[in-house]
């Protein structure tokens, strides 16, 4: 993941601070704390009716909560509070510990620092699936200190401290905590639980350091013993949850296979490139060779074919390089266009059930078709561009290259944390499309920064709230705007830019902003705009220079920077499709050459330098 300042900079985000007041009265009034409590979606609230003279500030003081917490629980309060309005006031952890948070069917657990979902399953004798059923937000974000979790009552109502059995591992050269967890097939959070001396935010280990490795549930219990790293990773199938599909056990050892078959499913739109369906002949003419050209002599091609064509050109160069190193493969190219019927016909071709690797198609709406086919036939399938989180679950044969903006949140937060004593302002757009990304930033920032250093708010495009009022003169203001709406971004950036002489502002946003046509580049430059991207090309690298030389030699042209316009294909990323085609083909064909058709089992630990992005794959669940 690369974080770098763009050529220009943009926009600042503001969070609602504890001093924010929406209604003011000259005469202070005494606020009476409500005795009416209600649990909503697993969180407990006081239900408070606003009375004459009460302000958001006076209410927050009476209930001992921050004003921003009240506003987040009551979005209408952004525009001010009114007499008679019912407010949900979140019950604080200290308040809840003294109250009976229990019903006939549920226990409401207030989380403490360091607790995880696994800890709660052991504490209350419930399964992960049960927790996710009653607390769906836990599937997408980590537990927060003070968060209320709904626990379905089991036969063992009284919680007990889970007894964890473990082995002892001595860290060897070049091992990381992540690689150790993978080798033992243990969730990283479980290792943190039994090794409190390791900081989850800086999980470094040293050579010779001894760490505890929890045994899987159901494993034979014995005294802790020292275990060295095994040469071959083996999953105990009898210890895997029976409700999930079983992974095939394939040892990560060199293969004896020498010849391979690779299928590439690409949207080449061959029919649309047919001369019979030629475009407007006023700008495009038929050349002497019978091919369509623009009037300047350049050949015409159906525009939606360009991305796939450049991807294919890069992939061919990668396969050619591997061929010189002894990689022998039959490569089958299929045109999918953006047509589910065509894909269905391709999958019925007898060739497909016998290939060793499938690459493509590009479009999200086609992924599920190929994913089901690949799983049924035990063929590893690489989705190079499309993002389809649902297809990833319970399917160990689908490998998704594009992780999307959501996976830049942790990297960006860690990067900002290293900037020192700063004031962070998170500004979200209320559009449903941007809610997931805003919530992910909110969760991570709350863990990384104290309330006094963090301001968060969600606004409409026409909101009367101006985030600039929350800028601080004595600190660097880091404004984060995880929004994709150009109009919204333009408004906030313009407001922030008007204050750059008075305040020190750094702007953080999304890579999609680089495609905005009306965003003032001077504004971005003035606020040192930064964004995180999984794709970056260093043109000084010798490997990149060699690729460009080969590309020019083979195709007599330059790779073009192509943007993704369709949400069905991708999510806010910009690619050099020729570089991406090279990276995907080179990386996965190399893995296939090393470990054979079962290479996907070894892919989390497979490393290979590539041109545009380093690939580091992680499992999304125990069976996918």
């Amino acid at each position: 993941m690369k974080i770098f300042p763009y050529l220009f900079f943009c926009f600042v985000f503001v969070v609602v601070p504890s001093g924010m007041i929406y209604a003011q009265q000259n005469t202070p009034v005494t606020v009476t704390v409500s005795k009416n409590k209600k649990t909503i979606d697993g969180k407990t609230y006081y239900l408070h009716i606003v009375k004459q003279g009460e302000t958001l500030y006076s209410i927050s003081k009476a209930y001992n909560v921050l004003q921003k917490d009240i506003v987040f629980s009551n979005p209408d309060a952004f525009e001010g509070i009114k007499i008679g309005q019912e407010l949900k006031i979140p019950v604080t952890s200290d308040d809840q510990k003294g109250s009976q948070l229990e019903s006939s069917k549920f226990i409401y657990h207030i989380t403490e620092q360091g607790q995880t979902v696994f800890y709660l399953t052991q504490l209350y004798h419930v399964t992960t699936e049960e927790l996710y059923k009653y607390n769906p937000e836990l599937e997408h974000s980590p537990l927060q200190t003070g968060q209320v979790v709904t626990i379905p009552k089991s036969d063992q109502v009284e919680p007990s401290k889970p007894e964890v059995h473990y082995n002892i591992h001595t860290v060897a050269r070049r091992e990381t905590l992540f690689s150790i967890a993978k080798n033992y097939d243990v969730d990283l959070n479980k290792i943190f639980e039994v090794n409190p001396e390791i900081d989850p935010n800086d999980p470094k280990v040293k050579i010779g350091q001894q760490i505890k490795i929890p045994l899987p549930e159901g494993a034979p219990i014995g005294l802790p013993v020292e275990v060295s790293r095994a040469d071959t990773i083996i999953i105990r199938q009898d210890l895997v949850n029976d409700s999930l599909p079983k992974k095939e056990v394939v040892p990560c050892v060199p293969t004896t296979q020498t010849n391979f078959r690779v299928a590439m499913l690409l949207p080449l739109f061959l029919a649309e490139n047919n001369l019979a369906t030629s475009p407007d002949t006023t700008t495009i003419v038929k050349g002497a060779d019978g091919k369509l050209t623009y009037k300047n002599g350049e050949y015409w091609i159906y525009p939606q074919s360009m991305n796939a064509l450049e991807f294919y050109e890069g992939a061919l160069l990668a396969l050619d390089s591997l061929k010189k190193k002894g990689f022998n493969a039959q490569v089958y190219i299929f045109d999918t266009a953006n047509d589910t019927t065509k894909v269905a016909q391709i999958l019925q071709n007898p060739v497909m059930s016998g290939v060793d690797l499938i690459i493509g198609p590009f479009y999200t709406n086609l992924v599920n078709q190929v994913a089901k086919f690949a799983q049924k036939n035990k063929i590893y399938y690489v989705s190079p561009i499309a993002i389809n989180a649902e297809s990833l679950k319970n399917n160990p044969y689908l490998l998704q290259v594009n992780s999307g903006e959501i996976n830049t949140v942790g990297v960006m937060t860690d990067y900002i944390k290293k900037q020192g004593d700063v004031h962070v302002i998170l500004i979200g757009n209320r559009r449903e499309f941007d809610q997931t990304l805003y919530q992910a930033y909110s969760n991570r920032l709350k863990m990384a920064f104290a309330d006094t250093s963090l301001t968060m708010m969600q606004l409409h495009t026409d909101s009367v709230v101006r985030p600039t009022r929350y800028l601080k003169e004595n600190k660097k203001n880091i404004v984060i705007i995880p929004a994709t709406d150009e109009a919204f971004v333009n408004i906030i950036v313009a407001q922030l830019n008007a204050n750059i002489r008075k305040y020190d502002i750094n702007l953080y946003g999304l890579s999609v902003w680089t495609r905005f046509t009306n965003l003032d580049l001077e504004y971005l430059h003035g606020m040192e705009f930064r964004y995180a991207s999984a794709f970056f090309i260093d043109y000084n690298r010798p490997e990149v220079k060699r690729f460009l030389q080969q590309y020019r030699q083979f195709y007599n042209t330059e790779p073009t920077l192509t943007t993704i316009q369709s949400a069905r294909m991708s999510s806010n990323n910009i690619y050099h499709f020729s570089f991406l085609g090279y990276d995907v083909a080179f990386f996965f064909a190399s893995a296939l050459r090393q470990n054979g058709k079962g290479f996907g089992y070894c892919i989390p630990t497979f490393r290979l330098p590539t041109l545009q992005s380093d690939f580091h794959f992680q499992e999304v669940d125990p069976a996918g």
Side-chain angles (χ1 to χ4, degrees):
M1 188 71 64
K2 183 75 174 179
I3 298 178
F4 50 92
Y6 196 64
L7 180 61
F8 34 80
F9 295 55
C10 73
F11 118 98
V12 178
F13 266 72
V14 182
V15 178
V16 183
S18 58
M20 182 173 181
I21 302 175
Y22 284 95
Q24 296 182 358
Q25 298 288 336
N26 294 327
T27 305
V29 299
T30 301
V31 176
T32 303
V33 174
S34 172
K35 296 181 179 180
N36 186 12
K37 287 185 183 180
K38 186 176 181 180
T39 300
I40 304 172
D41 296 331
K43 297 181 180 180
T44 305
Y45 300 91
Y46 290 105
L47 299 182
H48 179 88
I49 305 299
V50 179
K51 298 178 178 61
Q52 178 72 35
E54 293 181 347
T55 67
L56 196 63
Y57 176 77
S58 63
I59 294 172
S60 70
K61 288 300 181 183
Y63 286 91
N64 193 29
V65 297
L66 296 177
Q67 293 177 67
K68 67 177 184 180
D69 292 332
I70 298 177
V71 172
F72 288 145
S73 300
N74 304 269
D76 292 342
F78 270 111
E79 308 299 333
I81 59 176
K82 301 176 182 179
I83 297 173
Q85 180 180 356
E86 183 181 78
L87 296 177
K88 295 184 296 183
I89 312 296
V91 178
T92 62
S93 296
D94 291 338
D95 192 4
Q96 291 188 42
K97 287 177 181 177
S99 58
Q100 181 65 31
L101 294 176
E102 188 170 339
S103 67
S104 59
K105 295 183 179 180
F106 300 102
I107 297 172
Y108 300 103
H109 175 90
I110 302 96
T111 58
E112 298 177 2
Q113 187 172 3
Q115 292 183 346
T116 64
V117 169
F118 173 73
Y119 177 87
L120 296 183
T121 62
Q122 301 298 295
L123 187 66
Y124 290 100
H125 310 288
V126 294
T127 65
T128 305
E129 289 73 21
E130 288 177 302
L131 284 183
Y132 288 164
K133 178 181 179 181
Y134 295 102
N135 307 271
E137 70 278 4
L138 298 182
E139 283 196 83
H140 308 290
S141 59
L143 279 174
Q144 306 293 319
T145 302
Q147 182 175 348
V148 179
V149 180
T150 303
I151 311 291
K153 285 187 175 180
S154 64
D155 294 336
Q156 296 173 300
V157 177
E158 290 298 323
S160 59
K161 292 291 182 181
E163 183 180 5
V164 180
H165 300 272
Y166 52 84
N167 291 321
I168 303 297
H169 176 87
T170 302
V171 179
R173 182 180 175 84
R174 294 184 178 178
E175 283 189 328
T176 64
L177 204 60
F178 175 75
S179 67
I180 293 170
K182 285 296 180 183
N183 285 347
Y184 284 96
D185 194 37
V186 173
D187 187 276
L188 198 57
N189 288 327
K190 297 180 183 179
I191 295 181
F192 288 138
E193 288 176 8
V194 297
N195 296 274
E197 71 280 3
I198 300 177
D199 182 1
N201 296 318
D202 188 23
K204 294 179 180 178
V205 291
K206 299 178 180 179
I207 298 174
Q209 179 179 346
Q210 292 189 332
I211 60 175
K212 300 172 184 176
I213 308 295
L215 293 175
E217 296 179 52
I221 302 301
L223 295 174
V225 294
E226 187 166 342
V227 180
S228 60
R229 182 177 178 179
D231 293 330
T232 302
I233 305 172
I234 299 176
I235 288 184
R236 285 277 305 280
Q237 289 297 322
D238 57 311
L239 303 181
V240 178
N241 190 330
D242 290 336
S243 64
L244 297 174
K246 297 283 193 291
K247 281 188 180 179
E248 184 179 4
V249 179
V250 182
C252 292
V253 295
T255 182
T256 57
Q257 187 176 351
T258 56
N259 295 290
F260 305 92
R261 289 171 292 181
V262 178
M264 299 181 68
L265 280 58
L266 305 176
L268 295 168
F269 294 95
L270 297 180
E272 287 75 5
N273 282 285
N274 192 296
L275 295 180
T277 57
S278 61
D280 184 3
T281 54
T282 60
T283 56
I284 298 173
V285 297
K286 185 180 292 187
D289 57 1
K291 296 179 181 179
L292 294 179
T293 64
Y294 293 99
K295 290 187 176 181
N296 64 3
E298 293 182 0
Y299 285 110
W300 173 85
I301 186 172
Y302 184 65
Q304 292 188 48
S305 302
M306 289 302 301
N307 293 343
L309 180 61
E310 292 216 352
F311 183 92
Y312 179 45
E313 289 172 341
L316 286 181
L317 290 181
L319 295 172
D320 183 68
S321 298
L322 289 172
K323 181 180 179 180
K324 295 173 182 177
K325 298 179 181 180
F327 177 76
N328 300 309
Q330 289 179 287
V331 181
Y332 303 90
I333 309 299
F334 295 94
D335 174 28
T336 65
N338 185 14
D339 190 335
T340 55
T341 302
K342 282 190 175 183
V343 172
Q345 293 172 347
I346 293 169
L347 297 179
Q348 291 173 4
N349 190 312
V351 168
M352 288 298 299
S353 60
V355 299
D356 302 304
L357 168 66
I358 301 173
I359 298 175
F362 283 10
Y363 293 96
T364 300
N365 55 307
L366 307 180
V367 169
N368 198 41
Q369 271 183 288
V370 183
K372 290 180 179 178
F373 174 87
Q375 184 171 19
K376 179 181 178 181
N377 292 276
K378 298 183 178 180
I379 302 169
Y380 280 99
Y381 155 44
V382 178
S383 176
I385 296 165
I387 297 176
N388 193 324
E390 288 304 312
S391 294
L392 282 172
K393 294 179 180 179
N394 298 333
N395 188 347
Y397 291 94
L398 173 57
L399 297 158
Q400 184 172 283
V401 170
N402 183 8
S403 58
E405 292 280 7
I406 194 72
N407 288 287
T408 68
V409 173
V411 178
M412 186 70 93
T413 302
D414 293 342
Y415 179 80
I416 293 172
K417 183 70 174 175
K418 294 178 182 178
Q419 305 307 306
D421 186 18
V422 297
H423 177 56
V424 179
I425 302 173
L426 176 66
I427 305 177
N429 182 9
R430 286 192 172 276
R431 290 178 61 198
E432 183 179 355
F433 185 77
D434 294 329
Q435 288 299 300
T436 300
L437 196 57
Y438 173 84
Q439 193 58 51
Y441 265 109
S442 175
N443 292 337
R444 290 299 293 258
L445 291 170
K446 286 179 182 177
M447 297 173 63
F449 293 93
D451 286 340
T452 54
S453 301
L454 180 62
T455 303
M456 296 185 292
M457 63 168 60
Q458 286 184 288
L459 305 174
H460 293 291
T461 304
D462 57 354
S463 175
V464 297
V465 178
R466 299 182 68 86
T468 51
R469 72 174 69 175
Y470 306 112
L471 296 171
K472 295 188 177 181
E473 292 188 55
N474 60 339
K475 281 190 176 183
K476 180 186 290 291
N477 296 274
I478 291 184
V479 181
I480 309 169
I481 311 178
T484 58
D485 184 346
E486 183 172 1
F488 176 82
V489 172
N490 271 326
I491 291 171
I492 304 299
V493 170
Q495 292 178 4
L496 293 169
N497 179 73
N499 290 269
I500 59 174
R501 292 186 178 182
K502 183 178 181 181
Y503 300 97
D504 184 1
I505 304 172
N506 282 172
L507 183 62
Y508 289 71
L510 307 179
S511 61
V512 68
W513 292 10
T514 61
R515 300 207 305 267
F516 289 170
T517 56
N518 297 317
L519 198 55
D520 195 310
L521 304 188
E522 291 187 9
Y523 291 175
L524 301 181
H525 181 75
M527 289 179 279
E528 301 182 1
F529 169 52
R530 291 174 171 85
Y531 66 88
S533 174
F535 302 95
F536 176 76
I537 301 172
D538 181 358
Y539 287 93
N540 292 318
R541 289 177 57 195
E543 298 89 343
V544 173
K545 292 179 180 180
R546 283 196 295 271
F547 171 80
L548 289 173
Q549 184 179 10
Q550 289 178 322
Y551 195 89
R552 292 161 182 158
Q553 179 182 346
F554 272 79
Y555 306 117
N556 295 312
T557 187
E558 296 289 323
T560 57
L561 179 63
T562 312
T563 61
I564 298 297
Q565 301 294 344
S566 171
R568 294 176 301 166
M569 182 182 286
S570 182
S571 172
N572 306 334
N573 271 311
I574 301 175
Y575 310 92
H576 275 281
F577 271 82
S578 51
F579 282 89
L580 185 64
Y582 184 95
D583 286 349
V584 168
F586 191 81
F587 183 89
F588 290 102
S590 297
L592 182 64
R593 178 191 178 201
Q594 176 171 309
N595 298 111
K597 188 173 182 177
F599 74 91
Y601 178 76
C602 315
I603 214 71
T605 56
F606 186 75
R607 297 289 181 267
L608 191 69
T610 49
L611 300 179
Q612 188 172 216
S613 178
D614 291 333
F615 298 143
H616 300 274
F617 288 89
Q618 297 182 14
E619 295 174 341
V620 297
D621 59 41

